[in-house]
Amino acid sequence: MRHSALTISRRQSADSTAVLILAGEIDHTTAPHLGEALQDLRVAVPRQVLDLTAVTFLDSSGIDVLIHAHRNAAEGGGFVRLAAAGPAVLRPLQIVGVDELIPHHPSLDEALAHSA
């Protein structure tokens, strides 16, 4: 899936955790698309790991989507985990404390290891 400057691809891990591989920018124009993808996915797979390796920008709109997805997943007995965010993405998450709310792991492998 591609919307503006954000590409979303999906795969399933061995333990049925959904992995969303995001690339590009998460901002006010792309955040709604990400929110829809996460909402649709949550219905089918309540356990989600977002690979942020190729995300180059994250604004408050994206942070709101992540918080909303985390809360929805938790209400359904699932989770959202973040993996491999670079400094440009991790710093905003740390500034507003999202890294304390939604677990972030340095790599996708580590996030998947903690999802079991």
Side-chain angles (χ1 to χ4, degrees), residues 26-72:
I26 304 173
D27 60 20
H28 71 281
T29 60
T30 61
H33 176 63
L34 176 58
E36 291 170 14
L38 289 167
Q39 180 63 27
D40 292 346
L41 184 59
R42 182 186 65 86
V43 173
V45 184
R47 299 163 24 143
Q48 305 166 15
V49 173
L50 280 61
D51 182 347
L52 304 174
T53 304
V55 174
T56 57
F57 179 79
L58 176 71
D59 73 3
S60 61
S61 302
I63 290 171
D64 288 344
V65 166
L66 295 177
I67 292 170
H68 188 73
H70 165 74
R71 288 184 179 149
N72 282 342

Side-chain angles (χ1 to χ4, degrees), residues 87-104:
V89 173
L90 187 55
R91 186 68 183 137
L93 293 172
Q94 293 171 330
I95 288 171
V96 297
V98 173
D99 63 320
E100 299 290 325
L101 177 66
I102 305 172
H104 174 264

Side-chain angles (χ1 to χ4, degrees), residues 1-25:
M1 294 181 259
R2 181 167 168 75
H3 187 272
S4 189
L6 178 67
T7 302
I8 303 170
S9 56
R10 178 183 166 197
R11 72 176 179 88
Q12 202 88 3
S13 72
D15 70 349
S16 297
T17 298
V19 177
L20 287 184
I21 301 150
L22 309 177
E25 299 180 355

